[in-house]
Amino acid sequence: MENLEDKVAVVTGAASGIGKGMAETFADAGMRVVLSDVEEAALHATAAGLRDAGADVHAVVTDVASAGDVEALAESALGTYGAVHVLCNNAGVYTGSRPSWESTLDDWEWILGVNLMGVVHGIRTFLPVMIEQNEDAHIVNTASLAGLLTGGSLYGATKTAVVALSETVHLELVRDGLKPRISVLCPGLVDTNIYHSQRNRPARLSDAGPVPGDWSVEAAKKAFKTGLSPRAVGERVVEAIREQRFWILTHPEYGKHIEHRMTQLLNGDNPTLLPMPGQ
């Protein structure tokens, strides 16, 4: 999908973080961008900032865990721009409960609803539209290095599922000779505020499991500030769309960790962890 000028992109989780970085990069490429997020005030602030910079954007408050909300997002996008050429299923949350068996059912329902079912709802709603358009189109699903490595607990479980789903959809599209293509984004540490996902946790799912005793919002904030900029991630996403590249890996220093896991799998070894970069 070489030419992005005047094409339409829909980005979930676009009010901040990686979603905002993608929206900014798409706007710079001349695309019209539909931004969606559950955090209404931040969403409208981001949309206003992009408009002030000259971008053609449209904002829709959306809870991706709701199939109806995602369907309404598609209706709004199509009603505003008439087509959708790029979909970024990016919205995600993090629940840091440990150990995993003490995570509550509310933890599971919340993180599965956003991180996995949000992607499912996006694919089910938008991909048939893209196929019917019979034009070049692309879906980007945000997973994580946690979907390729061992030890991610609830978050890793959802991101591993997103990787597997994305691989399957890629094979189905190629097998059937359809024009849309798909990528899976597996970033490492990025300067976002996902560590503070609790700000958007639904009241009906408020029963949270325990967090590690050495964890704090301030410590997490300091760590995430050292991560890759969301804008840099957005630029890598645009490159992958242009190249029709499936894997978007933003942190090559983790290559040996992925190799370590795959080697253990092939050898039938029990899982172990390598020290993370910087440790």
Side-chain angles (χ1 to χ4, degrees), residues 34-212:
V34 179
L35 300 90
S36 80
D37 204 288
V38 72
E39 197 168 5
E40 185 170 2
L43 173 65
H44 290 304
T46 296
L50 286 168
R51 286 193 195 97
D52 289 345
D56 185 353
V57 302
H58 176 60
V60 184
V61 178
T62 307
D63 177 2
V64 298
S66 164
D69 271 23
V70 176
E71 290 165 4
L73 171 62
E75 290 173 6
S76 187
L78 292 168
T80 302
Y81 294 123
V84 174
H85 305 96
V86 171
L87 168 67
C88 295
N89 289 312
N90 169 75
V93 296
Y94 175 77
T95 174
S97 54
R98 296 289 191 281
S100 56
W101 57 85
E102 293 186 9
S103 299
T104 66
L105 290 178
D106 280 4
D107 288 334
W108 278 107
E109 184 174 346
W110 182 39
I111 200 167
L112 284 167
V114 177
N115 292 10
L116 177 57
M117 293 310 299
V119 176
V120 171
H121 294 153
I123 291 172
R124 291 189 70 255
T125 302
F126 284 90
L127 186 51
V129 173
M130 292 174 163
I131 292 170
E132 181 67 24
Q133 287 173 173
N134 197 31
E135 300 178 55
D136 288 340
H138 207 104
I139 293 175
V140 179
N141 293 332
T142 299
S144 168
L145 275 174
L148 303 175
L149 303 178
T150 303
S153 193
L154 279 66
Y155 185 78
T158 63
K159 296 305 185 179
T160 299
V162 169
V163 171
L165 174 61
S166 302
E167 289 175 304
T168 298
V169 174
H170 165 78
L171 292 171
E172 290 170 337
L173 290 170
V174 171
R175 179 198 64 199
D176 294 342
L178 300 170
K179 287 190 175 181
R181 288 294 177 262
I182 191 166
S183 297
V184 63
L185 170 62
C186 297
L189 194 64
V190 180
D191 182 12
T192 74
N193 57 2
I194 193 171
Y195 59 86
H196 190 35
S197 296
Q198 297 294 331
R199 70 192 189 280
N200 292 321
R201 185 166 180 148
R204 66 181 183 84
L205 300 175
S206 61
D207 182 24
V211 297

